[in-house]
């Protein structure tokens, strides 16, 4: 397994483990309960991480040539 693919585990772990802690917080952020904000935030961050994986993956560089 290539190290760049380990980046894909970060959102999974953040959502899974972070949800346990985020569900105990009773704060409203941008009009959303914190747990919903947490999931929405990681949805956006996950998109950025997938873009980084796409750009760093050497297989994608070979297809563009």
């Amino acid at each position: 397994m290539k190290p760049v693919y380990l980046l894909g585990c970060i959102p999974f772990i953040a959502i899974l483990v972070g949800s346990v802690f985020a569900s105990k917080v009773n704060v409203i952020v941008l009009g959303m309960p914190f747990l919903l904000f947490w999931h929405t935030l990681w949805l956006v961050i996950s998109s950025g991480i997938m873009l980084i994986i796409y750009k760093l993956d050497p297989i994608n560089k070979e297809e563009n040539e």
Side-chain angles (χ1 to χ4, degrees):
M1 181 182 235
K2 297 179 183 179
V4 71
Y5 295 144
L6 293 176
L7 283 174
C9 295
I10 294 172
F12 174 74
I13 293 170
I15 290 173
L16 186 66
V17 175
S19 294
V20 174
F21 299 109
S23 65
K24 297 177 183 177
V25 178
N26 294 324
V27 177
I28 302 295
V29 180
L30 299 175
M32 297 182 280
F34 187 73
L35 183 59
L36 181 61
F37 172 75
W38 181 261
H39 286 181
T40 306
L41 176 70
W42 276 101
L43 178 70
V44 174
I45 292 172
S46 297
S47 300
I49 290 174
M50 292 301 134
L51 178 66
I52 292 169
I53 291 172
Y54 178 78
K55 294 291 184 181
L56 293 178
D57 192 12
I59 295 173
N60 296 324
K61 292 178 184 175
E62 292 173 4
E63 291 177 359
N64 292 333
E65 293 177 359

